[in-house]
C-alpha cells in the first residue's frame, strides 16, 4: 500500500521537480567524482551510485533517531541520546572506513560478485537472504550460551575464512609463492569450490516438485465439477487442449447470436 500510495503521489509536476532536483549536476570539484549520484530509483545504472545513495540513507536514518530522543523524559534523555549518538557515529565510521579510499570500497566489489553469481544461479539470491538472516541469529544464540562457546565456535570459522581469503589473494596476485597444488581450488572436491553440483541438486529437486504439482493439476482436471473445457490448463496436456479450443472458438466470436448462444459458457470465459 505504501508503494502504491507513493506511486500515485509522485506523478505529474511533483515527479518533474524531483527528477530535476535529483539529476542536478554538482558543481566543481564534485562533478569529477566517478560515482556521484546523477540518477536515482529506476534510473540507476551503476553500483557505485547506488552505494552512495545507500550511505546517505544510512546517515539520514540516524537523524530521525536523534530527533526522537529529544522527546524523551528528563530521566531517560541522557541514555537515549547516548544510544542515538552511538548510532550516528557508528554509521559515520562505516562511511570513513569503506568509502573515501577507492581500495576500501569492498562492498561494491562484493555486491557485483553476488550479482554475477545470482545472475547465473537464481537460487543463490534466496540462499543469501536466508544466510544473511540466520547468521546474526546464530551469533546471538552463541553469545547467550556464553563467551567461551562463542569464541570456541567463532574463532575457528574466522581463521578458516581468513585462510581462504589469503589463499585467494595469493592465487590471483602471486601464485609463484604457492605450491603447484595450491594454484587453484581443484584439489578440493567439486562441491566445495563450485556451485554447479548444488545447482544440479536444486534443479533436480525443483523439477521434482514441478512434476508433483503437474500431477496434482492433472488429477484436478479429471475431477468434477470442473468441465473439461473450463480447466485452468496448468500442465502441457491442458494447455494443448486450451490452444485447440481457442483456435476453433475464436472465429465464432463473429458468428450469429443463435450459434454463439449454443456454445458452452466456459469457451467464452477462456477466450476472454
Amino acid at each position: 500500500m505504501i508503494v502504491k500510495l507513493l506511486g500515485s503521489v509522485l506523478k505529474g509536476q511533483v515527479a518533474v521537480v524531483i527528477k530535476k532536483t535529483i539529476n542536478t549536476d554538482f558543481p566543481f570539484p564534485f562533478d569529477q567524482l566517478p560515482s556521484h549520484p546523477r540518477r536515482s530509483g529506476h534510473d540507476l545504472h551503476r553500483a557505485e551510485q547506488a552505494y552512495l545513495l545507500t550511505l546517505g540513507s544510512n546517515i539520514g536514518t540516524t537523524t530521525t533517531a536523534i530527533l526522537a530522543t529529544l522527546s524523551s523524559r528528563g530521566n531517560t534523555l541522557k541514555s537515549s541520546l547516548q544510544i542515538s549518538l552511538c548510532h550516528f557515529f557508528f554509521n559515520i565510521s562505516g562511511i570513513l572506513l569503506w568509502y573515501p579510499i577507492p581500495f576500501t570500497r569492498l562492498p561494491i566489489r562484493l555486491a557485483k560478485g553476488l550479482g554475477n553469481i545470482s545472475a547465473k544461479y537464481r537460487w543463490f539470491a534466496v540462499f543469501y537472504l536466508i544466510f544473511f538472516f540466520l547468521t546474526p541469529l546464530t551469533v546471538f544464540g552463541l553469545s547467550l550460551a556464553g563467551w567461551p562457546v562463542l569464541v570456541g565456535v567463532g574463532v575457528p570459522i574466522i581463521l578458516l575464512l581468513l585462510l581462504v581469503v589469503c589463499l585467494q589473494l595469493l592465487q590471483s596476485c602471486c601464485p609463484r609463492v604457492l605450491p603447484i597444488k595450491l594454484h587453484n581450488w581443484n584439489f578440493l572436491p567439486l562441491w566445495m569450490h563450485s556451485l554447479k553440483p548444488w545447482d544440479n541438486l536444486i534443479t533436480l529437486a525443483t523439477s521434482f516438485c514441478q512434476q508433483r504439482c503437474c500431477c496434482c493439476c492433472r488429477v484436478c482436471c479429471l475431477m468434477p465439477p470442473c468441465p473439461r473445457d473450463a480447466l485452468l490448463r496448468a500442465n502441457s496436456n491442458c494447455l494443448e487442449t486450451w490452444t485447440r479450443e481457442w483456435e476453433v472458438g475464436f472465429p465464432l466470436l463473429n458468428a450469429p447470436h443463435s450459434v454463439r448462444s449454443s456454445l458452452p459458457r466456459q469457451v467464452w470465459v477462456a477466450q476472454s
Side-chain angles (χ1 to χ4, degrees):
M1 293 178 64
I2 294 176
V3 173
K4 291 184 177 180
L5 179 61
L6 290 176
S8 61
V9 171
L10 300 178
K11 291 182 178 180
Q13 190 64 27
V14 178
V16 174
V17 173
I18 293 177
K19 185 176 181 180
K20 182 179 179 180
T21 304
I22 293 179
N23 292 340
T24 300
D25 292 336
F26 291 90
F28 182 84
F30 301 103
D31 59 342
Q32 303 300 320
L33 292 176
S35 57
H36 69 288
R38 290 181 181 273
R39 298 181 176 90
S40 68
H42 296 290
D43 294 332
L44 278 175
H45 295 289
R46 299 178 58 188
E48 290 82 0
Q49 297 171 353
Y51 187 54
L52 276 179
L53 293 175
T54 303
L55 295 179
S57 63
N58 286 337
I59 298 299
T61 57
T62 61
T63 59
T64 57
I66 295 175
L67 291 175
T69 58
L70 298 179
S71 63
S72 302
R73 296 181 179 180
N75 56 345
T76 61
L77 178 61
K78 181 179 179 181
S79 299
S80 58
L81 186 60
Q82 183 181 14
I83 293 297
S84 62
L85 290 178
C86 288
H87 184 203
F88 173 75
F89 286 110
F90 179 83
N91 287 0
I92 290 291
S93 302
I95 292 177
L96 296 177
L97 181 63
W98 298 111
Y99 184 74
I101 304 175
F103 177 77
T104 61
R105 296 172 188 174
L106 182 62
I108 297 178
R109 293 193 292 271
L110 291 177
K112 291 181 178 180
L114 291 174
N116 293 331
I117 296 175
S118 300
K120 186 176 182 180
Y121 305 105
R122 298 300 179 89
W123 54 267
F124 185 81
V126 180
F127 170 80
Y128 173 75
L129 290 176
I130 297 175
F131 178 80
F132 187 81
F133 177 75
L134 293 180
T135 299
L137 290 181
T138 303
V139 175
F140 179 71
L142 293 175
S143 64
L144 293 180
W147 283 106
V149 178
L150 179 62
V151 173
V153 176
V155 170
I157 295 177
I158 294 176
L159 292 178
L160 179 61
L161 293 176
L162 291 177
L163 178 62
V164 172
V165 172
C166 292
L167 281 177
Q168 186 69 36
L169 292 176
L170 291 176
Q171 288 175 358
S172 59
C173 299
C174 302
R176 60 181 180 277
V177 301
L178 296 174
I180 299 178
K181 189 176 182 180
L182 297 179
H183 283 185
N184 51 52
W185 299 101
N186 292 335
F187 64 93
L188 295 175
L190 184 62
W191 60 272
M192 294 184 65
H193 65 90
S194 176
L195 294 177
K196 186 63 176 177
W198 298 101
D199 182 65
N200 295 334
L201 181 62
I202 294 177
T203 302
L204 180 63
T206 54
S207 62
F208 176 76
C209 294
Q210 291 176 358
Q211 291 176 1
R212 293 293 300 271
C213 292
C214 290
C215 291
C216 295
C217 293
R218 188 177 296 110
V219 172
C220 292
C221 289
L222 298 177
M223 292 178 61
C226 298
R228 184 179 179 184
D229 54 349
L231 301 175
L232 294 179
R233 279 74 184 187
N235 52 58
S236 59
N237 294 332
C238 293
L239 181 60
E240 183 180 356
T241 303
W242 179 81
T243 304
R244 291 198 305 267
E245 292 176 354
W246 176 272
E247 294 174 350
V248 173
F250 187 80
L252 297 177
L253 290 175
N254 297 325
H257 177 73
S258 59
V259 176
R260 288 187 282 114
S261 60
S262 62
L263 293 175
R265 178 178 177 273
Q266 291 78 5
V267 173
W268 304 106
V269 172
Q271 292 184 9
S272 61

